[in-house]
Amino acid sequence: MAEDQLDVAPEPENAESDAYALDPKTISAILYTVEVQDRERLVELMEPLHAADIADMLEQMNAYDRMRLIRLYDLEFDGEILTELDESIREEVIQILKPEVLADAVRELDSDDVVDLLEDLEDAQRDSILEALEDSDRVAVEQSLTYPEYSAGRLMQREVVMAPEHWSVGEAIDHMRANEDLPDQFYHIILVDPRLKPVGKVALGKLMSSRREVKLADITDTSFHIIPATRAEADVAYAFNQYHLISAPVVDENERLVGVITIDDAMLVLEEENEEDILRLAGVGEESSLSDTAIQTTRQRFPWLAVNLATAILASLVIAQFEGAIAQVTALAVLMPIVASMGGNAGTQSLTVAVRALATRDLTGSNAVRVIRREATVGLIMGVAFAVVMGIVGVVWFGSTQLGWVIFAAMIINMVAAALAGIGIPILLEKIKVDPALASGTFVTTVTDVVGFFAFLGLASLVLL
Amino acid sequence: MAEDQLDVAPEPENAESDAYALDPKTISAILYTVEVQDRERLVELMEPLHAADIADMLEQMNAYDRMRLIRLYDLEFDGEILTELDESIREEVIQILKPEVLADAVRELDSDDVVDLLEDLEDAQRDSILEALEDSDRVAVEQSLTYPEYSAGRLMQREVVMAPEHWSVGEAIDHMRANEDLPDQFYHIILVDPRLKPVGKVALGKLMSSRREVKLADITDTSFHIIPATRAEADVAYAFNQYHLISAPVVDENERLVGVITIDDAMLVLEEENEEDILRLAGVGEESSLSDTAIQTTRQRFPWLAVNLATAILASLVIAQFEGAIAQVTALAVLMPIVASMGGNAGTQSLTVAVRALATRDLTGSNAVRVIRREATVGLIMGVAFAVVMGIVGVVWFGSTQLGWVIFAAMIINMVAAALAGIGIPILLEKIKVDPALASGTFVTTVTDVVGFFAFLGLASLVLL
């Protein structure tokens, strides 16, 4: 291993020298086979690649190359690639695939992956995929689709390995040996009572290391979580993360076992939630993807900037009240953006911490008061510190002690306001059940701009004129 | 299930009505037992709680209650709770625990959890924990600690289930039955050659469903990733996420199997990476925790605000060049923050998308040019759109067509500059191996402030005076 692989930050250089990841040379070679229509070589080059990497590669190339590659690759196209693709590209790819290739591709997939595929498709595409499935799979998929979007029912796979609670280890193993249709990945056997209600789960490792005559009921995991099919997927992801679950049974409203969710599904949801929070905080539509066109991107971002324009005009209206003062003392115009900018940044700090803590459920009713008090204290301390600096800058730069005092006071007021807005607005939004991440910079900086300009220019009018 | 559990956003109300999560009533009851020093009832109330929930509860209470609770709970204190605690609280808790309780607690843990514990402790505490371990465990832990921080070697557990590549299913099962010291959680058997080099892995589910005489080598997983012990943990997390790994073998520099990393470790790293990105983008030290004191918090955030102050003063220097113009046309002072604010927000949008895409490795050499072109186009489209709006606002509000044209042009210039800075700065930082998330709002808004003020006030001086 090269020395620089010890670095903390993720390094793309590592990824490129990394045996797993996509190598730019491979991509060039693949694009060349498309150029010269050399199907045999294309298949040879793609063969060792993981579906996730092929999907990334398809996302990163332009639409024309993508189409030609898929047409050339033809029957080799694997269902896994579809599940790994970004939604925005997936629809396009499905339209390029021949019906028989598509049918082949989806038939290999687990039911949860098919459900995930179908969710974002238009009716015509959806029907053609459903028709391609075998009858039993189609029924399973259609049942999953009856659960609401973003629920555990959509996330689960129907393929479950279960055993009656009175079985022994030997019976379970014999049963599994006889069963040809086990899922690709499973880590636990779910124990059920005669009504199919899950009563426990046995880790395969535990099963392996126990004698044949041991009862399954005697070697169940101590931690056991049952997930109702209607539970929000965000809550499911939280449970997996909090309790380090690998898989969990899903039950319907009669508490009957209907499926199982595995950690890879939960990890995906967690990643999506994180993505959403980051993008929302920055005022970017959370559906954004790198492969979106400029028009799609503009459409996502425009509304946020429009809101920002409205709030910026609001702040300007405050300034307009003090035009007279500014005409007399132009130093005010020079210094006022500093007050606003410091407040805006301090507010964003508090805001981000609050939004994160709400998302990870670390900020709750039992510590909210303490955290608000802390943020206010921090705002006050930093306000005083920067007020001293700016007071001195004001005096030195413009030679006016009075101006120094004005900016000193305005800075403290704005920093405390920033802290309170930063922590208060997300908590308030959470209370009224709006995603706190929507309290993006825009709203908090409106407060800090308005308070900052008003405090600074208002005090200046009182003291200087 | 209640209807409102179907909502998309994570709802704390759900969490509270959720059977898994911490119930405020339970917390009150527990605090009451601490108040009246009722140990028996405390143990009874804590018994059903998951270690992760106990850790959350400890983090959310104040230091005095925390100390009293831990003292009362005494010998019941579980090692798992320590691993779940936030670093900032963990040290405090370890100091409260009696030496014999601490020794008991750490002895139950897997080696990777002990390593994680030790990393953040001071030497004295570290030594007392190492002494508490059994000899074989201590050696394992000390060996892990020889690997660099944030490397796979620190993340892995030493407890591995392996088998020679020539074994059959029956031999593997018999071996496991005879072995009393299997790890708590394992999902694969790693096949090794005579030099202990991993050559494949067999999923337990596959093992279970195969006949005893089948060779392990014939039922290995198709996807198999070997991780060098020196690989950065961020790269490990990426591989787990990208390839949906559940566990992966870790090898030393001689390619000998030394440990195994499981998905729960990788998930933790992924969460930390996300946290870091969000906090860095907002200019908050990534070590921040909700249980930090006001002083600690101030210390984390102060440097970022100090940098911001410097850049804000820079922007003010630009304004100062145009004091004369502002004195004549105070409308300039009223409108200039709008130009700056729109640029700042547009820049933050581009920046956030770029930082995310770099972190998830979706933005690479093969699509960078396309993405930069897209961002510039988006900046231009939105610039023109908002320029029209602001041009009209300028004309209507201040009755000056010339002012309208000035703000129109300045808006377009600043929005394009914002887009280019937002995408360009993180790509540049990534190139020179600095974490792009450090290109927090501060740097991009410096560009947009300076460009915005200069374009607006400069054009105004040319046109209006």
Side-chain angles (χ1 to χ4, degrees), chain A residues 12 20 53 60 84 177 210 226 242-244 275 283 301 316 323 330 334 349 356 364 370 375 430, chain B residues 12 20 53 60 84 177 210 226 242-244 275 283 301 316 323 330 349 356 364 370 375 430:
Chain A
Y20 317 155
D53 289 331
Q60 287 167 24
E84 300 284 351
R177 291 226 175 101
S210 304
I226 297 175
Q242 173 84 343
Y243 305 120
H244 315 299
E275 185 91 13
R301 298 189 194 166
S316 287
E323 270 191 80
T330 50
V334 175
Q349 289 180 333
R356 265 316 275 178
T364 65
R370 192 144 25 90
E375 290 296 324
E430 175 93 7
Chain B
Y20 317 153
D53 288 331
Q60 287 168 24
E84 300 283 352
R177 291 228 176 100
S210 303
I226 297 176
Q242 173 85 343
Y243 305 118
H244 315 299
E275 185 91 13
R301 298 189 194 167
S316 288
E323 270 191 81
T330 51
Q349 289 181 333
R356 267 315 277 178
T364 66
R370 192 145 23 92
E375 291 297 323
E430 175 92 8

Side-chain angles (χ1 to χ4, degrees), chain B residues 102 209 212 233 261 304 329 353 356 374 403 459:
Chain B
L102 183 61
S209 57
R212 280 184 67 88
E233 61 173 24
I261 293 177
W304 299 82
V329 188
V353 168
R356 267 315 277 178
R374 181 191 79 173
L403 186 63
L459 285 172

Side-chain angles (χ1 to χ4, degrees), chain A residues 1 5-8 11-12 14-15 20 50 52-53 56 60-62 84 150 173 176-177 182 186-187 204-205 207-210 225-228 230-232 235 239 241-244 246 263 267 270-271 274-275 278 282-283 289-290 292 294 297-298 301-302 304-306 308-309 316-317 319 323 327 330 333-334 336-338 341-342 345 349-350 352-353 356-357 361-362 364 366-367 370 374-375 378 382 385-386 390 397 415 430 433 442, chain B residues 1 5-8 11-12 14-15 20 50 52-53 56 60-62 84 150 173 176-177 182 186-187 204-205 207-210 225-228 230-232 235 241-244 246 263 267 270-271 274-275 278 282-284 289-290 292 294 297-298 301-302 304-306 308-309 316-317 319 323 327 330 333-334 336-338 341-342 345 349-350 352-353 356-357 361-362 364 366-367 370 374-375 378 382 385-386 389-390 397 415 430 433:
Chain A
M1 294 305 305
Q5 296 230 342
L6 312 186
D7 284 350
V8 178
E11 307 267 351
N14 287 0
Y20 317 155
H50 190 285
D53 289 331
D56 281 354
Q60 287 167 24
M61 50 179 56
N62 66 47
E84 300 284 351
Y150 309 110
I173 294 181
M176 281 193 281
R177 291 226 175 101
L182 289 175
F186 73 105
Y187 315 103
L204 290 188
L207 189 77
M208 305 258 50
S209 58
S210 304
H225 293 292
I226 297 175
I227 295 174
T230 49
R231 175 150 298 165
D235 292 337
N241 193 30
Q242 173 84 343
Y243 305 120
H244 315 299
I246 297 294
I263 188 169
M267 204 158 165
L270 213 61
E271 276 289 287
N274 278 321
E275 185 91 13
I278 296 190
S289 147
L290 219 55
D292 290 338
T297 306
T298 305
R301 298 189 194 166
F302 193 89
W304 299 81
L305 285 185
N308 184 61
L309 181 62
S316 287
L317 287 173
I319 301 174
E323 270 191 80
T330 50
V334 175
M336 69 183 190
I338 299 182
S341 158
M342 291 300 283
N345 274 275
Q349 289 180 333
S350 298
T352 306
V353 169
R356 265 316 275 178
R361 305 191 192 178
D362 288 331
T364 65
S366 47
N367 61 354
R370 192 144 25 90
R374 182 191 78 172
E375 290 296 324
V378 171
M382 296 206 292
F386 288 112
M390 275 315 296
W397 191 348
M415 292 289 269
E430 175 93 7
K433 308 210 172 201
T442 300
Chain B
M1 294 303 302
Q5 297 229 344
L6 311 187
D7 285 351
V8 177
E11 306 267 352
N14 287 0
Y20 317 153
H50 190 283
D53 288 331
D56 281 353
Q60 287 168 24
M61 50 178 56
N62 65 49
E84 300 283 352
Y150 309 110
I173 293 181
M176 282 193 281
R177 291 228 176 100
L182 289 176
F186 73 104
Y187 315 103
L204 290 187
L207 188 77
M208 305 257 50
S209 57
S210 303
H225 293 291
I226 297 176
I227 295 175
T230 48
R231 175 150 298 164
D235 292 336
N241 193 28
Q242 173 85 343
Y243 305 118
H244 315 299
I246 297 296
I263 189 169
M267 202 158 167
L270 213 62
E271 276 290 286
N274 278 320
E275 185 91 13
I278 295 189
V284 184
S289 146
L290 219 55
D292 289 338
T297 306
T298 305
R301 298 189 194 167
F302 193 89
W304 299 82
L305 285 185
N308 184 61
L309 181 62
S316 288
L317 285 173
I319 301 174
E323 270 191 81
T330 51
V334 175
M336 68 184 189
I338 299 182
S341 158
M342 290 301 283
N345 275 276
Q349 289 181 333
S350 298
T352 306
V353 168
R356 267 315 277 178
R361 305 188 191 179
D362 287 331
T364 66
S366 47
N367 61 354
R370 192 145 23 92
R374 181 191 79 173
E375 291 297 323
V378 171
M382 296 205 293
F386 288 112
V389 177
M390 276 314 297
W397 191 349
M415 293 288 270
E430 175 92 8
K433 306 209 173 205

